[in-house]
Amino acid sequence: MRTTAALAISALAATAAGHATFQELWVNGEDEASTCARLPANNNPVVNVGSNDIRCNVGGTKAAGAKCSVPAGGTVTVEMHQQPNDRDCSKEALGGNHFGPVLVYMSKVEDAASADGSSSWFKIFEDGYDPATKTWANDKLNKGCGKQDVKIPSDIAPGDYLLRAETIALHTASQANGAQFYMTCYQITVTGGGSANPTGVKFPGAYSANDPGIKVDIWGNSFTEYKIPGPPVYEG
């Protein structure tokens, strides 16, 4: 197991260098770049789970320039990098020992361009920690050029949605408000599909600062498993 003191100090030293944002979206293998992403003003994390910024990041109510059309049952790929417009795959997507889960949510809205994220969110993807390989979900981002494939449920109703991609960095999460939340909302229009309208959770409200997946010491020898925060994944 990692040595608590040494690796925690290393994580703190690398904190600023490891910040990042989800920036681009792919739809069934087609690169939509950042056209429908509500890009944060910078790569700093949100740390207050009780803030409205936990919805779509700081400034996340500002509309993107477009909506991306996504077929129900299709696959989107969210893409994260440390600096704006730097898609260099030789660089880590989220460096500095920022280990943690990757989660993706959707929210049905009337107009994705004007929605403020206060509507209900249902989770469509999560990946956490594999104790057998000691691999975190965002380790895979680092190895995969910042990309995570996510299947859109095939039975959801057509129309506008916000798609919220998130990773939670847990390197300093043993202290109060130490978890770092990196999220971006994408404006999408789902085509086809069915009539399902999954129940969801609200942000803020879905997470508590004391949730075991948010306030957690990942460096201690007693750490063997991880509980991903938020609701269960909607299976569709």
Side-chain angles (χ1 to χ4, degrees):
M1 192 64 198
R2 304 178 183 93
T3 302
T4 300
L7 287 181
I9 291 171
S10 173
L12 284 168
T15 292
H19 292 179
T21 54
F22 285 99
Q23 301 176 29
E24 293 85 19
L25 188 75
W26 300 68
V27 179
N28 285 337
E30 294 293 325
D31 186 3
E32 301 289 345
S34 299
T35 55
C36 58
R38 295 186 178 181
L39 295 175
N42 56 54
N43 64 1
N44 292 330
V46 175
V47 297
N48 182 359
V49 297
S51 165
N52 287 344
D53 293 334
I54 201 70
R55 295 170 179 167
C56 293
N57 214 317
V58 177
T61 58
K62 183 179 179 181
K67 303 174 188 178
C68 290
S69 180
V70 180
T75 298
V76 297
T77 306
V78 293
E79 183 177 340
M80 168 174 263
H81 295 286
Q82 294 188 41
Q83 300 299 329
N85 303 312
D86 185 357
R87 303 174 82 174
D88 185 348
C89 294
S90 68
K91 300 175 183 177
E92 288 188 327
L94 182 71
N97 293 330
H98 283 46
F99 303 114
V102 175
L103 313 92
V104 180
Y105 293 80
M106 293 180 70
S107 180
K108 183 76 172 68
V109 296
E110 185 173 334
D111 180 4
S114 61
D116 64 1
S118 62
S119 47
S120 293
W121 297 84
F122 58 98
K123 187 189 289 182
I124 62 169
F125 175 85
E126 66 178 19
D127 190 14
Y129 178 70
D130 183 349
T133 61
K134 298 182 180 179
T135 300
W136 286 95
N138 53 24
D139 285 329
K140 300 172 190 176
L141 289 182
N142 288 334
K143 294 177 181 178
C145 197
K147 297 174 183 175
Q148 176 64 62
D149 291 343
V150 181
K151 181 177 173 59
I152 301 297
S154 60
D155 64 343
I156 59 173
D160 279 11
Y161 289 79
L162 292 179
L163 178 81
R164 179 182 179 274
E166 172 185 48
T167 189
I168 307 172
L170 301 171
H171 54 301
T172 58
S174 61
Q175 62 190 18
N177 298 319
Q180 298 180 351
F181 300 81
Y182 299 87
M183 80 291 294
T184 293
C185 288
Y186 300 87
Q187 301 171 177
I188 67 172
T189 301
V190 172
T191 60
S195 59
N197 185 20
T199 57
V201 295
K202 294 291 187 77
F203 287 103
Y207 299 159
S208 165
N210 292 315
D211 284 345
I214 292 176
K215 191 173 188 297
V216 56
D217 181 4
I218 66 171
W219 305 109
N221 290 331
S222 62
F223 178 78
T224 57
E225 61 181 359
Y226 176 72
K227 180 176 175 56
I228 300 172
V233 170
Y234 174 70
E235 298 297 341

